[in-house]
Amino acid sequence: QVHLVESGGDLVQAGGSLRLSCAASGIIFSINDMGWYRQAPGKQRELVATITRSGNTNYADSVKGRFTIARGNARTTVYLQMNSLKQEDTAVYYCNARTIGSDYWGKGTLVTVSS
């Protein structure tokens, strides 16, 4: 089992920045990819960014150039640096960890971007 806890969500003005963190515990050696997903009110959960064990990253087109995903040195933490935030970035952001055969999710952290 892998347990994920997100933090860093907040209310921020458009154009501002936030940094989300996700700490993993449990069978962490089994984690391959980690990532961030988000779900806005009335919408389906969507990919924001992912990072592989070797550090390869992938971003949704809507956040490219504004968001940066990174893993901590021990690979038990994943960060999402969000710059130039827009109102449409408002959502609950979920951390994801992927092992062989399993997906784990945190409970989410709320990001609200005001005009």
Side-chain angles (χ1 to χ4, degrees):
Q1 289 283 340
V2 175
H3 184 57
L4 302 171
V5 178
E6 303 99 333
S7 61
D10 205 345
L11 170 64
V12 63
Q13 283 193 324
S17 298
L18 277 178
R19 188 191 196 212
L20 304 183
S21 299
C22 171
S25 60
I27 311 177
I28 56 176
F29 67 86
S30 64
I31 297 174
N32 292 320
D33 300 352
M34 295 188 77
W36 289 94
Y37 291 71
R38 67 187 181 187
Q39 187 166 16
K43 295 188 176 181
Q44 289 190 331
R45 190 173 297 188
E46 63 177 6
L47 177 145
V48 176
T50 60
I51 185 166
T52 67
R53 179 186 283 264
S54 58
N56 294 321
T57 58
N58 179 53
Y59 295 92
D61 287 343
S62 59
V63 307
K64 281 181 182 175
R66 300 188 297 122
F67 291 10
T68 303
I69 189 170
R71 286 175 88 155
N73 289 337
R75 296 205 303 270
T76 59
T77 306
V78 64
Y79 305 98
L80 185 69
Q81 178 66 42
M82 305 186 293
N83 299 327
S84 302
L85 282 161
K86 304 175 181 179
Q87 282 188 274
E88 51 263 44
D89 296 318
T90 294
V92 177
Y93 284 70
Y94 296 92
C95 180
N96 170 265
R98 189 161 291 177
T99 66
I100 296 176
S102 295
D103 261 319
Y104 297 93
W105 295 92
K107 292 184 178 181
T109 186
L110 177 63
V111 172
T112 304
V113 184
S114 65
S115 59

